[in-house]
Amino acid sequence: MVFVTGDLHGNFERFKPKYFPEQARMTKRDIMICAGDFGGVWFGDSRDDETLDWLERLPFTLAFVCGNHENYDALARYPVAEWRSGKVHCVRPHVLHLMRGQIFELESYRFFTMGGAKSHDTNHRINHISWWRQELPSDEEYIEALQNLERYNWQVDYIITHCCPSSIQDTFSGGLFQRDALTDFLDEVRERCRFQYWFFGHYHENMVVEKEFVMLYNQIIRLK
């Protein structure tokens, strides 16, 4: 089984059995994907351990793309490994950061991941303390994303990001949200890639946009 949910921001209440009873039938082969703003790696030291160890004890594997509210310096210190044909940071054996520009093969489906988003309150934040410039992809990450999509002939089943393409952002916000390099890049992916559904977080609502774009916040969806 594969499930997808939205922003967590370090609050994992939704994974308690009383809120997510489906986990009684799950094993570590089953996967919960968070569409960014995971927030479980925040302090970058032993203060994260209690929460991360609790997540590791859950009966399923928790995987996440990065959002704009992550400690990127701390994430980068975790070892990189190959998992299901793509690269991950191994936060715990079953708590995994799905790195940018990767394509993972899960339950016979292909997932393209491209985390990150631009923060709009950086004037009130401090780089490397409450905000990280790495929230937006590097040139190398964009290149790797394009190379992987070319390798799969621009055909996947699902796309998991934190923000969404500029055109979709414009559709549901009426132009309220500013375009940036990442949302414009995701527009290119939208135009060139064949996919079934695109899941994203970031905007703190649960909404379906133009049928195949699914904005998630606190909702959990099982992929069929």
Side-chain angles (χ1 to χ4, degrees):
M1 294 183 283
V2 180
F3 293 81
V4 186
T5 191
D7 304 25
L8 292 164
H9 294 287
N11 182 346
F12 304 104
E13 191 83 4
R14 75 188 68 169
F15 298 147
K16 290 185 175 179
K18 64 180 178 179
Y19 301 119
F20 184 51
E22 292 91 339
Q23 65 187 283
R25 307 190 313 275
M26 296 174 73
T27 71
K28 291 296 190 182
R29 293 184 61 186
D30 301 310
I31 301 159
M32 174 72 69
I33 301 175
C34 166
D37 280 357
F38 167 66
V41 177
W42 186 254
F43 299 104
D45 56 32
S46 60
R47 288 174 288 178
D48 292 328
D49 288 347
E50 182 179 357
T51 296
L52 293 174
D53 291 343
W54 182 83
L55 293 172
E56 175 62 23
R57 290 193 297 270
L58 291 171
F60 51 85
T61 294
L62 176 59
F64 63 95
V65 300
C66 48
N68 55 307
H69 294 127
E70 314 283 4
N71 184 333
Y72 282 92
D73 296 332
L75 269 181
R77 291 196 289 268
Y78 285 99
V80 176
E82 183 173 313
W83 179 77
R84 308 291 183 93
S85 301
K87 292 192 299 187
V88 298
H89 281 117
C90 294
V91 178
R92 290 291 186 275
H94 300 93
V95 180
L96 307 172
H97 169 223
L98 306 175
M99 295 175 69
R100 290 170 173 152
Q102 304 301 303
I103 295 178
F104 298 92
E105 297 181 3
L106 310 178
E107 302 299 323
S108 77
Y109 296 110
R110 293 172 179 170
F111 289 73
F112 172 69
T113 59
M114 196 70 183
K118 182 176 176 59
S119 295
H120 299 289
D121 57 354
T122 54
N123 291 337
H124 308 290
R125 295 178 179 270
I126 302 171
N127 190 29
H128 299 296
I129 295 177
S130 57
W131 168 72
W132 285 263
R133 293 186 186 278
Q134 304 98 301
E135 66 180 21
L136 288 176
S138 64
D139 290 343
E140 292 76 15
E141 287 170 321
Y142 284 124
I143 291 169
E144 185 168 4
L146 292 172
Q147 289 174 338
N148 283 329
L149 287 166
E150 287 283 356
R151 187 160 55 91
Y152 282 87
N153 296 314
W154 291 85
Q155 184 168 356
V156 299
D157 297 290
Y158 300 105
I159 295 177
I160 311 287
T161 60
H162 187 52
C163 59
C164 67
S166 297
S167 55
I168 296 299
Q169 202 173 240
D170 290 345
T171 296
F172 68 76
S173 76
L176 178 64
F177 293 99
Q178 293 182 351
R179 296 175 173 230
D180 55 60
L182 178 53
T183 62
D184 284 346
F185 173 81
L186 296 178
D187 247 342
E188 179 184 353
V189 174
R190 179 194 182 186
E191 291 170 5
R192 300 180 64 183
C193 193
R194 287 172 290 171
F195 60 93
Q196 293 183 41
Y197 289 100
W198 186 315
F199 297 96
F200 59 99
H202 189 47
Y203 306 93
H204 291 195
E205 288 189 50
N206 301 298
M207 180 191 307
V208 176
V209 186
E210 296 187 7
K211 295 184 179 179
E212 68 266 30
F213 292 85
V214 183
M215 181 196 303
L216 291 173
Y217 185 28
N218 50 16
Q219 189 175 6
I220 297 175
I221 292 178
R222 180 181 175 184
L223 304 187
K224 302 289 187 178

